[in-house]
Amino acid sequence: MAAASRNLISHLRIVLSSTVSETQFRTFSACSSQVEELRTRIIEGKPAIMTPNSKRTGAIAVKCGMTALWDKWGERVPITILWLDDNIVSQVKTPEKEGISALQIGCAHKKEKHLTKPEVGHFRAQGVPMKRKLKEFPVTEDALLPVGTSISVNHFVPGQYVDVAGITRGKGFQGGMKRWGFSGMPASHGASLSHRSIGSTGQRDAPGKVFKGRKMPGRMGGVQRTVKNVWVYKIDPARNLMWVKGQVPGAEGNFVFIKDSVYKKPDISILPFPTYFAPENEDQADLEPLVADLGDTDPFMAAD
């Protein structure tokens, strides 16, 4: 009786294990086919509907300098001019291959002799022209674009807010008054050769050291900073120029990185998504500049 029970139990175990193995194999096969479909998917460059959770790519621009304009109400607007020099998508990163969803954007042209061999190999593998500056922008999966897609200044809309990042001007080694805004020591009485000194930096025998992070003289500038909520005043599609209000980091000729503002999010209904696709019969050289809508109320009269 015991031997029959053992044989029955062993038979049931064999049947169950074969059933589980077959189910696992079917599940694995289904997952493998889904992954293969995702790997072989084709990213198409066509207009789509932007959702509140969608995140578009940014762009790379060259800072041309600053000027001032007067709007239609007579108000003086400080302006920084940015040039989007031939931005294209140079690489696409997908969750199936790289584990992230991002677009690599290339800006400006560069000769092959001025690039390293790994850089030349990268551009040749992607089949895009040699670029001077590369920047990776995280995007959502619905905002992916095929390699070679052009990112023009029409990617941004006048009146929206953007975040602009760049490398600040290097100031060299500076003292505490210039670097941190210290008031300094007395200018006359009781001060001898220490008028611009920062003063005490610590305590006595305990702790017997200067704590990390103390504001002291040192190298100033030359670091990446982001100016948030920069207002786009005007764009010129014919020359790929953008006028933004206020200052942005960096000197003239430096590269800056532009993306949609995080805090003052633009209206998704007016943004081209995932980017602006020019019609076939559109001649970019004939396009007129677009200026932000300033409203119908004179701000100077409204104050009265």
Side-chain angles (χ1 to χ4, degrees):
M1 185 67 181
S5 300
R6 287 196 296 269
N7 292 334
L8 180 61
I9 292 173
S10 62
H11 180 69
L12 289 174
R13 285 178 178 175
I14 294 172
V15 172
L16 290 175
S17 62
S18 61
T19 304
V20 171
S21 300
E22 185 177 356
T23 304
Q24 291 178 349
F25 177 75
R26 289 177 179 176
T27 304
F28 178 76
S29 301
C31 293
S32 300
S33 61
Q34 292 176 0
V35 171
E36 188 64 27
E37 290 178 0
L38 290 174
R39 287 183 181 274
T40 57
R41 68 173 179 174
I42 300 175
I43 300 175
E44 298 181 358
K46 60 181 180 179
I49 298 176
M50 186 174 182
T51 64
N53 296 326
S54 298
K55 186 176 182 180
R56 305 192 307 159
T57 181
I60 309 173
V62 180
K63 181 178 178 180
C64 299
M66 290 196 68
T67 183
L69 298 176
W70 281 261
D71 60 16
K72 67 177 184 178
W73 304 116
E75 182 180 1
R76 184 179 185 273
V77 183
I79 293 294
T80 300
I81 301 178
L82 305 176
W83 175 34
L84 277 68
D85 184 13
D86 194 18
N87 280 225
I88 64 169
V89 178
S90 57
Q91 186 182 4
V92 181
K93 295 188 177 182
T94 58
E96 299 80 36
K97 188 175 181 181
E98 288 85 7
I100 59 173
S101 179
L103 292 176
Q104 184 189 82
I105 306 297
C107 174
H109 295 283
K110 198 170 185 179
K111 294 182 179 179
E112 181 179 340
K113 65 179 182 179
H114 295 150
L115 294 171
T116 63
K117 288 186 178 180
E119 291 173 339
V120 174
H122 171 72
F123 291 123
R124 287 180 176 174
Q126 300 297 329
V128 296
M130 310 294 171
K131 290 298 178 179
R132 184 179 169 196
K133 189 69 174 180
L134 297 177
K135 174 66 175 178
E136 182 179 299
F137 294 95
V139 298
T140 51
E141 289 194 45
D142 57 348
L144 290 175
L145 293 167
V147 174
T149 304
S150 176
I151 307 294
S152 65
V153 74
N154 286 316
H155 183 74
F156 301 99
V157 178
Q160 79 164 103
Y161 290 89
V162 295
D163 294 341
V164 183
I167 306 298
T168 59
R169 289 176 178 265
K171 303 292 184 178
F173 193 97
Q174 298 296 332
M177 294 183 67
K178 179 178 177 67
R179 192 183 186 199
W180 303 110
F182 289 169
S183 59
M185 304 297 283
S188 58
H189 301 320
S192 177
L193 304 180
S194 60
H195 307 290
R196 300 182 63 85
S197 174
I198 63 173
S200 175
T201 59
Q203 295 79 38
R204 298 179 67 183
D205 197 26
K209 64 178 181 179
V210 178
F211 288 104
K212 291 183 178 180
R214 174 67 65 184
K215 294 180 179 179
M216 299 177 70
R219 186 168 180 175
M220 182 179 178
V223 293
Q224 180 166 313
R225 291 290 181 264
T226 302
V227 177
K228 298 180 175 62
N229 304 330
V230 181
W231 186 56
V232 179
Y233 176 74
K234 183 173 73 171
I235 63 172
D236 187 356
R239 296 183 291 173
N240 258 346
L241 294 178
M242 177 191 297
W243 282 259
V244 297
K245 183 178 180 180
Q247 76 283 359
V248 300
E252 295 181 9
N254 284 12
F255 289 103
V256 294
F257 311 120
I258 314 170
K259 63 179 182 179
D260 295 334
S261 178
V262 175
Y263 294 105
K264 292 188 177 182
K265 297 184 181 298
D267 186 4
I268 61 175
S269 63
I270 63 173
L271 294 180
F273 184 80
T275 188
Y276 176 79
F277 297 99
E280 295 182 358
N281 57 352
E282 180 182 88
D283 187 2
Q284 190 174 4
D286 297 335
L287 298 179
E288 296 293 332
L290 303 176
V291 183
D293 184 15
L294 301 177
D296 299 329
T297 304
D298 189 343
F300 298 102
M301 299 299 293
D304 297 338

